[in-house]
Amino acid sequence: MRIYNLGSINWDQCYRVEHFVRPGETLMSSAYALHLGGKGANQSAAAAKAGGQVTHIGCVASADSALSKLQELGVETGGIYQQDQHATGHALIQIDDQGENAIILHAGANRALQQDWIVSQLQSAEKQDWLLMQNETNLLHESATLARQKGMQVAFNPAPMDRDLTLSLLDKLDLLIVNQIEAQDLTGASDLDTAIERMQQQAPDLALLITLGAKGACYCQGNQRHSVNAFKVDAVDTTAAGDTFIGYFLASLTAGLAVSDALPRASAAAALAVTRAGAIPSIPSRQEVDDFLARQP
Ligand code: ATP
């Protein structure tokens, strides 16, 4: 089983500054770092590191080095369209001396996908392959419809949350992946149990994977419920914890693991990720996850 991940690819350009730039000001930064990011790229990287077969479907500027970066991570990049009308998605991130940030995000090529391209990329997809999507590209409805017609399974992680869009997609999804805040925003519920109840009333066949930060995660489908605790670790940076969880979870399912086995594996990978700084560099390898699980009492 293969994962086709329709997702964003961003370059995060991080500038360390004394204070955020003011109108009319030219400000020197004291440090600069460039990282590959975007929820799409993060989740592809995580699923590939987990050992999954991952084809990323996306769009970048011609000859962007994101392609070789993703290839090095084990992601199949033939599904990434290269064009010259739009810049590759990027974020300009100012980080001040207090650690606060101010971000300009330019979606660029991420929202310039053409339907013909998606159709051609899903041509070779097989029944039971997964289409994974986040809310950082265009053509979500069209792609989910096409995937369903082909008998694929569709997973959606609605980040950033758009309530109306997510509700309108529900009948095309097999798996909805949200964190607790998103689950409650989506349903207007003040607690998790009510959120789950409302989601299940609205979409009885839909499987829900809800990540709960340091409290772990739960999976619900019909009467079936599985919960997993988070592993106790010294958290340094939770960036991409959710993306790591999702990539590992789906890759584990495609490798034939049951949900009850995929959950602790994803939780272990995400726990390792929060012990390290950054997004993609923080995602552990399969071997690291195996070693971590073997060390648990
Ligand atoms: P992000 O947006 O930072 O990627 P998220 O809000 O989508 O994260 P969370 O629910 O915060 O997702 O975290 C995802 C998973 O990461 C959790 O289900 C848990 O397994 C793991 N995790 C998060 N925080 C911790 C922590 N402090 N200790 C151990 N594991 C953690």
Side-chain angles (χ1 to χ4, degrees), residues 179 211-214 216-217 230-231 233 235 238-243 245 267 270-271 274:
N179 63 26
T211 62
L212 305 168
F231 288 89
V233 289
T238 60
T239 308
D243 296 334
F245 195 107
S267 181
V274 305

Side-chain angles (χ1 to χ4, degrees), residues 49-133:
K49 281 192 164 192
Q53 294 188 307
V54 188
T55 297
H56 192 100
I57 302 179
C59 185
V60 295
S62 293
D64 195 291
S65 58
L67 294 170
S68 54
K69 275 261 182 199
L70 284 168
Q71 284 160 13
E72 280 164 26
L73 291 159
V75 176
E76 160 59 46
T77 59
I80 301 175
Y81 186 69
Q82 300 179 57
Q83 47 74 59
D84 291 315
Q85 282 78 51
H86 304 273
T88 300
H90 55 271
L92 294 186
I93 305 172
Q94 301 178 56
I95 305 157
D96 73 10
D97 286 346
Q98 282 69 50
E100 289 289 321
N101 60 39
I103 302 175
I104 299 175
L105 182 64
H106 182 68
N110 290 321
R111 293 208 179 263
L113 277 154
Q114 307 271 333
Q115 187 155 358
D116 291 355
W117 181 252
I118 311 268
V119 171
S120 66
Q121 294 316 305
L122 291 182
Q123 198 99 50
S124 52
E126 293 177 5
K127 272 197 171 136
Q128 301 305 313
D129 282 345
W130 281 90
L131 174 70
L132 169 63
M133 314 188 296

Side-chain angles (χ1 to χ4, degrees), residues 21 61 95 106 146 174 179 181 195 240 252 254 282-283:
V21 68
I95 305 157
H106 182 68
L146 187 61
D174 297 279
N179 63 26
I181 295 167
S252 301
T254 59
S282 75
I283 302 169

